């Protein structure tokens, strides 16, 4: 009989789940392209910002995006978004999506041409999570 267990370290289960999911997806869609990459912003040897994303099939998912506060509002963010979108296009991406919290950067993403397609309210302190997409 199968049993359910809670793990505090996820390595073994994550590997099994990803392997099973990749196998299932391959069976249904054929072998798919997958690329994970990052775009960094540095001052000297120090990384002061960057974006981490992945392209699966033809869609870029922007997973993480951060930069030091002192660099915000100086066009670096827009340039980083453009750089990750351009790199994703090289891998065949035709669409991008991401999520952000209401206290983070929803207006920034709108200014970069992203359209909101969903949100969830109810996070602590009145925070809302927003999902955005954009055709590349």
């Amino acid at each position: 009989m199968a049993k359910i267990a809670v793990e505090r370290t996820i390595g073994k289960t994550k590997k099994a789940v990803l392997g099973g999911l990749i196998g299932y997806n391959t069976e249904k869609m054929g072998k798919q392209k997958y690329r994970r990459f990052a775009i960094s912003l540095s001052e000297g040897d120090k990384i002061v910002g960057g974006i981490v994303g992945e392209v699966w099939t033809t869609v870029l998912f922007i997973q993480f995006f951060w930069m030091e506060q002192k660099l915000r509002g100086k066009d670096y963010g827009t340039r980083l978004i453009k750089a990750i979108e351009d790199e994703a296009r090289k891998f065949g991406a035709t669409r991008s999506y991401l999520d952000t919290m209401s206290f983070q950067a929803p207006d920034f993403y709108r200014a970069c041409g992203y359209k909101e397609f969903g949100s969830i309210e109810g996070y602590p302190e009145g925070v809302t999570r927003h999902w955005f997409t954009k055709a590349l």
Side-chain angles (χ1 to χ4, degrees):
M1 176 182 248
K3 73 175 192 176
I4 296 174
V6 175
E7 296 178 45
R8 298 295 181 225
T9 58
I10 64 170
K12 185 177 177 182
T13 298
K14 180 179 178 182
K15 184 176 180 179
V17 169
L18 281 175
L21 187 58
I22 290 168
Y24 180 79
N25 289 346
T26 300
E27 177 185 310
K28 298 296 181 185
M29 299 174 65
K31 186 162 174 59
Q32 299 295 305
K33 292 184 293 182
Y34 176 80
R35 281 268 169 78
R36 179 176 242 179
F37 59 101
I39 307 292
S40 64
L41 177 66
S42 8
E43 288 183 335
D45 292 338
K46 183 182 177 194
I47 293 177
V48 294
I51 304 178
V52 176
E54 63 185 24
V55 173
W56 180 63
T57 68
T58 60
V59 180
L60 165 66
F61 172 46
I62 296 175
Q63 296 174 302
F64 308 109
F65 184 8
W66 164 83
M67 88 173 60
E68 287 189 356
Q69 186 67 38
K70 69 181 182 178
L71 299 171
R72 296 178 188 178
K74 298 182 178 182
D75 199 44
Y76 290 113
T78 303
R79 290 167 51 196
L80 284 167
I81 286 286
K82 182 178 178 341
I84 199 165
E85 290 172 350
D86 288 347
E87 193 65 19
R89 283 185 195 95
K90 292 177 188 176
F91 301 141
T94 59
R95 177 155 295 283
S96 176
Y97 83 101
L98 58 92
D99 66 274
T100 189
M101 302 299 235
S102 54
F103 65 88
Q104 292 173 327
D107 290 335
F108 167 76
Y109 293 114
R110 287 181 187 103
C112 290
Y114 283 78
K115 305 291 183 212
E116 187 169 351
F117 68 90
S119 64
I120 297 176
E121 297 177 355
Y123 285 83
E125 309 297 323
V127 171
T128 300
R129 190 171 189 169
H130 301 270
W131 279 267
F132 289 88
T133 188
K134 177 181 177 180
L136 299 178

